[in-house]
């Protein structure tokens, strides 16, 4: 199964991605986690990414596409993948959709904006992520609206888009996503 999970910062993407990947036995590819481990390892990509991540802007498309492309190809040779945080821009989406192993479905998680900010501020207390300050959060939500939200139309045009209400408890969101995926495979 080849799945993309899309949604604004704080929509619960990471939590759902972990659960769904375990449930379907597919590879969970989180761009944010990959970049954070590159940063911790001090690689060239990691150093560049750390600076950009601290502002909430997007890391350069060519670097991200180069990072993700081989991982997506490898995962697709197995049981499939769940992409968490990719694609986030039009060039990334175009690169992904042009792959032989392009996604079969894009699940968009919808949450009202005030709920997002509360959730991220709560995560900041629990996880202490460097980019979870009020200012950076505001920018990350703005970057999502500007660069990532327009991708929903690209997915819809290709018949890949499924929208799920993510303003309910996480277990109910997981059930709703699984229902969407099962509807898709039973058609
Ligand atoms: P996340 O953990 O998904 O919230 O991502 C944290 C940060 O990593 C983002 O704010 C961006 O700076 C960077 N990032 C994650 N995914 C991408 C992507 N697909 N393209 C560019 N930058 C990304």
């Amino acid at each position: 199964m080849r799945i993309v999970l899309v949604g604004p910062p704080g929509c619960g993407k990471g939590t759902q991605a972990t659960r769904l990947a375990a449930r379907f036995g597919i590879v969970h590819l989180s761009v944010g986690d990959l970049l954070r481990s590159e940063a911790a390892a001090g690689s060239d990509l990691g150093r560049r990414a750390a600076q950009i991540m601290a502002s909430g802007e997007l890391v350069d498309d060519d670097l991200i596409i180069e990072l993700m492309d081989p991982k997506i190809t490898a995962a697709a040779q197995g049981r499939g993948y769940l992409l968490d945080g990719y694609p986030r821009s039009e060039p990334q989406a175009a690169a992904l959709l042009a792959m032989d192993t392009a996604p079969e479905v894009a699940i968009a998680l919808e949450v009202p904006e005030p709920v997002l900010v509360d959730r991220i501020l709560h995560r900041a207390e629990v996880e202490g992520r460097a980019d979870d300050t009020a200012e950076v959060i505001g920018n990350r939500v703005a970057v999502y609206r500007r660069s990532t939200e327009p991708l929903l139309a690209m997915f819809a045009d290709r018949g890949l888009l499924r929208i799920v209400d993510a303003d309910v408890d996480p277990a109910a969101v997981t059930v709703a996503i699984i229902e969407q995926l099962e509807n898709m495979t039973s058609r």
Side-chain angles (χ1 to χ4, degrees):
M1 195 174 287
R2 301 190 302 274
I3 308 171
V4 170
L5 206 52
V6 204
C11 71
K13 235 175 8 310
T15 305
Q16 296 303 327
T18 304
R19 292 180 184 186
L20 293 165
R23 152 93 196 217
F24 293 106
I26 56 180
V27 180
H28 173 194
L29 292 172
S30 158
V31 186
D33 287 350
L34 290 168
L35 294 177
R36 281 184 285 275
S37 55
E38 291 283 336
S43 68
D44 287 346
L45 168 62
R47 278 200 296 272
R48 166 111 188 109
Q51 279 178 357
I52 299 174
M53 287 166 89
S55 69
E57 291 296 320
L58 295 182
V59 178
D60 322 44
D61 286 324
D62 50 348
L63 296 179
I64 297 291
I65 293 168
E66 208 175 297
L67 173 75
M68 296 303 288
D69 202 279
K71 296 189 194 306
I72 291 169
T73 302
Q77 278 161 7
R79 294 176 65 90
Y81 58 72
L82 191 148
L83 303 183
D84 164 8
Y86 186 78
R88 264 180 155 123
S89 68
E90 212 177 305
Q92 293 177 18
L96 176 65
L97 292 170
M99 292 179 77
D100 290 339
T101 53
E104 296 158 294
V105 62
I107 305 273
L109 300 182
E110 280 198 337
V111 178
E113 196 134 335
V115 178
L116 292 178
V117 176
D118 280 357
R119 284 195 193 174
I120 306 179
L121 288 172
H122 176 72
R123 181 172 72 192
E125 282 169 24
V126 178
E127 293 179 16
R129 260 177 61 164
D131 57 351
D132 275 347
T133 63
E135 192 189 339
V136 180
I137 293 164
N139 194 32
R140 280 164 52 213
V141 173
V143 167
Y144 174 80
R145 299 279 177 235
R146 181 172 72 231
S147 301
T148 310
E149 208 165 49
L151 308 184
L152 299 186
M154 287 174 79
F155 294 132
D157 282 350
R158 287 167 178 76
L160 300 177
L161 186 65
R162 305 286 182 278
I163 294 175
V164 170
D165 174 11
D167 188 19
V168 291
D169 81 275
V173 178
T174 310
V175 169
I177 297 174
I178 290 171
E179 261 171 28
Q180 291 275 2
L181 295 172
E182 282 172 352
N183 282 344
M184 192 186 91
T185 48
S186 63
R187 268 184 300 137

